[in-house]
Amino acid sequence: TRGDGSGGESIYGKKFNDDKEGLKLKHNRAGTISMANSGKNSNSSQFFVTLQATPQCDGKHVVVGYVRESCLDVVTEMAACSSPDGTPKAVVVIADCGVL
């Protein structure tokens, strides 16, 4: 990425198509992991984790998985590092997360 939330490249190149099955999955709970995009078939290397149900994302962003219930406290701790205007209060690093 460019360090400002834009850009990025995946193992599939700069952009890749939406996964039709992932588009059918719902953003119906906290801990939904979904691909960020700028429109249809514009996925790259960025993703987001929801803090609550976000039905407005259904059919627009590909769901790639869900955080385990036993790990949702980590998502809550990450969210606590943000401020109301979106400026991070602390650096959050995801490391040694394994391969799915």
Side-chain angles (χ1 to χ4, degrees):
T1 64
R2 296 183 186 101
D4 63 359
S6 65
E9 186 170 337
S10 78
I11 61 172
Y12 305 111
K14 289 194 182 270
K15 304 278 183 188
F16 60 94
N17 290 343
D18 295 328
D19 174 73
K20 290 179 182 25
E21 292 305 310
L23 279 175
K24 293 177 186 175
L25 298 174
K26 303 295 182 191
H27 297 80
N28 57 0
R29 59 185 164 207
T32 301
I33 306 167
S34 192
M35 293 297 303
N37 64 47
S38 58
K40 184 177 180 180
N41 296 322
S42 64
N43 300 289
S44 62
S45 61
Q46 297 180 30
F47 66 94
F48 59 94
V49 180
T50 64
L51 303 177
Q52 60 190 23
T54 53
Q56 66 272 24
C57 295
D58 292 348
K60 296 177 184 173
H61 296 276
V62 174
V63 174
V64 297
Y66 300 94
V67 174
R68 291 181 181 164
E69 289 285 330
S70 62
C71 298
L72 282 176
D73 59 323
V74 175
V75 174
T76 302
E77 288 181 40
M78 290 169 53
C81 294
S82 67
S83 62
D85 69 358
T87 305
K89 292 191 264 182
V91 174
V92 175
V93 176
I94 299 171
D96 296 324
C97 60
V99 177
L100 301 177

